[in-house]
Amino acid sequence: SLTSVDKTTSTCNLKLYPNPATGFLTIQTDQTLEDAKIIDISGCEIMNLSRIESGKNTINLSRLGKGYYIFKSGSNQSFFIKQ
């Protein structure tokens, strides 16, 4: 499951939910995001999501282990925890 951390740096309206999540994460944004990725706390890229379209997008997190993760796309960044 995921728990949000209140640290978001963003140039668009970006939401990650539900928190906690049990396998799927919804990414909601008001603009298309290029070169999107999920990075672990050590800086290793875990998932390359390439392009996230504006609106709601569902990402399967079943292959992620427990830990801290960062969703990043350009200058947009949100932190989350998978429990």
Side-chain angles (χ1 to χ4, degrees), residues 46-58:
I46 303 300
M47 296 175 77
N48 185 336
L49 306 171
S50 297
R51 181 180 170 106
I52 301 291
E53 298 295 332
S54 63
K56 292 182 183 179
N57 301 268
T58 303

Side-chain angles (χ1 to χ4, degrees), residues 1-4 18-23 61 65-67 69 80-83:
S1 58
L2 293 175
T3 302
S4 175
N19 284 314
T22 57
L61 299 178
K66 294 179 180 182
Y69 294 94
F80 63 92
I81 302 168
K82 184 171 183 197
Q83 296 180 334

Side-chain angles (χ1 to χ4, degrees), residues 29-80:
T29 177
D30 62 355
Q31 60 186 264
T32 299
L33 303 175
E34 300 290 340
D35 193 29
K37 55 188 85 174
I38 293 178
I39 303 166
D40 70 12
I41 198 69
S42 67
C44 293
E45 182 178 309
I46 303 300
M47 296 175 77
N48 185 336
L49 306 171
S50 297
R51 181 180 170 106
I52 301 291
E53 298 295 332
S54 63
K56 292 182 183 179
N57 301 268
T58 303
I59 307 300
N60 184 342
L61 299 178
S62 63
R63 64 180 226 193
L64 269 63
K66 294 179 180 182
Y68 293 87
Y69 294 94
I70 302 164
F71 171 83
K72 186 170 184 174
S73 176
S75 63
N76 299 293
Q77 183 170 288
S78 287
F79 298 84
F80 63 92

